[in-house]
Amino acid sequence: MAAKEKLTTAQVGGLAALLIGTLVITNDFTALNVALPAIENAFKVDITTAQWVISGYALVFGVFLVTAGRLADMFGRRRIFFIGMAIFCFFSLIGGLAEDAWVLVGARAAMGIGGAMIWPSLIGMIYGILPEQRAALAGGLLMGVSGIGNGMGPLLGGVFVEYLSWRWIFFINIPVSIIAVATIYFTIPKDRDDEETERIDYPGIATLSLGLFGLMFMLDIGSDLGWLSPTVISLFGAAVVLLAIFLYIERQWGVDALIPKDIIANREFRAANIIVQMVAAIYFGSLLYLPQFMVKELGFSAAEAGAGLLPVLGMFAVSSFLAAPLYDRLGSKMVITLGLLCLAVGIYILSWLTASTSFLALMPGMVIVGMGLGLFYSSITTAAITSVDENRSSLASAIVFMVQNAGGAVGLGLTTAIVVTATTLSHGIERAFTVNAIVAVMAVFISLLYVAGPLTRENLFPQRRTDENDE
């Protein structure tokens, strides 16, 4: 096997700054989960309105992610990253200073635009800064730091709510982002020329954005209005029509399409996204309903519930770092499948909970779920991004995370529908997690058959094949 290249000091500094940017985005995704009751009290609104502080960000982030990824590949990941950070920081300040609930919701939505520009740009730069043979390390670092950020989010959010103010969840973004931007400016060179020859697919951007917005908005309001309500059905119909028009437009635009044909036709990339969509339901569901169980059944405070997620998110981070050497040794199919098996077992153990279940009894299931998430997400991200051309890496990463958000919205809607139909919270979570365990088992079989190529001896044991070739 080829010797692995050593990183220069500038590369190490740039990589560190990119990982700080990863912390900012992933921390922001989870920090507000424990702050919603405080936001309700501050603005005298109900949970339906307060929930839009989270849903509005996720909605806009998911809608603009693919467009931002394509623009990053076209005009330079570094440039789009800086623009995204400026938007994110400015509206973090507006959100922290907001005196009206809907100003806060609007600021969070605008932060979603910034976050959508930051995320695929930094992923493309992380994979670009490391040599090709260290792609698994890129995935491990990315998801490991993401796990740390996700773990810090509820913990920091709980501490701010309890000892300072929920507003500090927004303010903290600003100095950390400035440090990351300054470091990247001096350590990572421009990755595209100022003159760009590719056309921007404006019709594709418009139809995809509107179609995704209709679909995700429908998923957000469906459980409240009823899935058969005229509004929900109309949104679904409009989304289907717009996405069909989008597919037609993409055929006409060829290589300049928002999602070019070489991405759409890539079987390995498609299979990876199907699995990501299935796993998102488990990830989003556990992050929402485990803290609710801790607060409402175990009597935890917001800070305690945030800390209570550390077995999941801490193990997510640890196993993400461990996934890189396993990926190099065992190959993507084996590590991805192993992660899915852990998810199936862990979420099934968590489905045994009752109203009298203690926190210690939740620990084994949470640890196994966290292990599965780390092994899975770091490996599936690397497998998906390396299955396409290097010039498409930001777009590929954007599609993967757009699919994760859409899958999470669908899965969370279904999970919530199951939970609210039960007589008690614990009984509802038990039912929902049992369904999630079944979904994870289905994902195991899809992974074995389709992800990272067909089920063959060479794909299952790539290291053995390499050793035989070396001999």
Side-chain angles (χ1 to χ4, degrees):
M1 296 180 67
K4 293 182 177 179
E5 300 175 22
K6 290 185 177 180
L7 299 180
T8 66
T9 302
Q11 285 176 317
V12 171
L15 186 59
L18 289 169
L19 295 175
I20 291 173
T22 303
L23 271 179
V24 170
I25 296 299
T26 53
N27 171 81
D28 202 72
F29 257 111
T30 57
L32 283 167
N33 286 353
V34 296
L36 288 186
I39 291 172
E40 290 176 53
N41 291 333
F43 296 112
K44 307 300 185 221
V45 295
D46 58 18
I47 185 61
T48 304
T49 301
Q51 183 66 38
W52 276 103
V53 174
I54 294 174
S55 299
Y57 178 87
L59 180 65
V60 175
F61 183 93
V63 165
F64 286 103
L65 200 53
V66 173
T67 298
R70 183 72 168 113
L71 293 176
D73 286 336
M74 289 175 64
F75 296 106
R77 293 155 192 159
R78 182 174 178 265
R79 177 185 297 171
I80 298 300
F81 178 86
F82 289 157
I83 295 171
M85 272 294 192
I87 294 170
F88 191 84
C89 285
F90 177 76
F91 285 101
S92 289
L93 179 62
I94 298 299
L97 297 174
E99 295 296 335
D100 177 84
W102 291 109
V103 171
L104 177 61
V105 170
R108 280 287 287 173
M111 286 172 66
I113 297 174
M117 298 177 76
I118 294 166
W119 190 241
S121 303
L122 70 83
I123 293 175
M125 286 191 285
I126 288 172
Y127 277 90
I129 206 170
L130 291 170
E132 184 179 351
Q133 61 268 36
R134 290 197 176 187
L137 175 61
L141 288 173
L142 175 68
M143 288 300 137
V145 173
S146 295
I148 293 172
N150 286 330
M152 286 171 54
L155 188 59
L156 282 177
V159 169
F160 285 145
V161 168
E162 209 146 298
Y163 300 107
L164 291 171
S165 165
W166 58 266
R167 296 178 185 277
W168 279 94
I169 298 173
F170 293 89
F171 294 147
I172 195 66
N173 292 333
I174 299 168
V176 177
S177 298
I178 290 172
I179 292 170
V181 166
T183 307
I184 288 170
Y185 181 82
F186 289 109
T187 58
I188 296 181
K190 292 170 63 175
D191 50 318
R192 296 286 287 192
D193 294 329
D194 289 333
E195 295 184 6
E196 181 52 55
T197 58
E198 288 185 81
R199 295 182 300 162
I200 299 178
D201 179 10
Y202 290 110
I205 291 172
T207 51
L208 179 65
S209 299
L210 290 172
L212 288 175
F213 179 84
L215 183 63
M216 293 184 179
F217 187 57
M218 178 207 75
L219 293 170
D220 271 330
I221 67 174
S223 58
D224 294 326
L225 297 183
W227 296 106
L228 297 179
S229 70
T231 301
V232 170
I233 292 173
S234 298
L235 283 170
F236 179 74
V240 169
V241 170
L242 285 164
L243 292 176
I245 295 172
F246 167 74
L247 292 176
Y248 174 78
I249 290 170
E250 296 308 274
R251 289 183 180 181
Q252 310 307 309
W253 277 70
V255 295
D256 292 326
L258 181 61
I259 304 180
K261 185 178 178 180
D262 56 288
I263 293 284
I264 296 173
N266 190 312
R267 291 183 179 180
E268 291 186 19
F269 186 71
R270 288 203 310 266
N273 279 284
I274 290 170
I275 298 290
V276 166
Q277 190 170 35
M278 297 173 75
V279 170
I282 301 170
Y283 182 42
F284 281 65
S286 59
L287 285 186
L288 179 64
Y289 283 104
L290 285 172
Q292 286 204 25
F293 178 81
M294 293 174 198
V295 171
K296 295 177 180 178
E297 299 288 355
L298 301 182
F300 282 23
S301 66
E304 289 169 338
L309 281 177
L310 287 178
V312 176
L313 300 174
M315 186 54 68
F316 184 160
V318 171
S319 58
S320 293
F321 291 125
L322 294 176
L326 287 175
Y327 189 103
D328 289 335
R329 183 70 188 172
L330 301 177
S332 56
K333 185 181 287 288
M334 186 68 80
V335 181
I336 290 166
T337 304
L338 180 60
L340 290 169
L341 283 170
C342 289
L343 281 171
V345 172
I347 205 70
Y348 181 64
I349 291 173
L350 287 172
S351 74
W352 300 344
L353 61 78
T354 66
S356 60
T357 298
S358 67
F359 178 75
L360 287 177
L362 295 175
M363 286 277 287
M366 289 196 291
V367 168
I368 297 171
V369 165
M371 183 182 299
L373 289 170
L375 293 175
F376 172 78
Y377 273 119
S378 61
S379 302
I380 199 74
T381 303
T382 299
I385 291 175
T386 56
S387 71
V388 304
D389 187 90
E390 182 182 352
N391 291 328
R392 308 286 196 209
S393 60
S394 287
L395 174 61
S397 66
I399 293 172
V400 169
F401 285 96
M402 183 272 290
V403 167
Q404 179 185 329
N405 279 337
V410 173
L412 196 54
L414 293 174
T415 300
T416 300
I418 295 170
V419 171
V420 299
T421 56
T423 54
T424 65
L425 176 64
S426 57
H427 191 203
I429 294 174
E430 175 198 350
R431 287 181 180 177
F433 283 7
T434 300
V435 172
N436 286 345
I438 295 170
V439 172
V441 171
M442 293 168 59
V444 168
F445 287 104
I446 295 174
S447 174
L448 283 172
L449 293 173
Y450 302 111
V451 172
L455 181 60
T456 62
R457 177 178 176 272
E458 289 77 12
N459 280 337
L460 276 178
F461 305 105
Q463 186 62 38
R464 181 182 297 178
R465 181 183 60 185
T466 302
D467 292 343
E468 288 172 354
N469 291 338
D470 290 343
E471 291 175 5

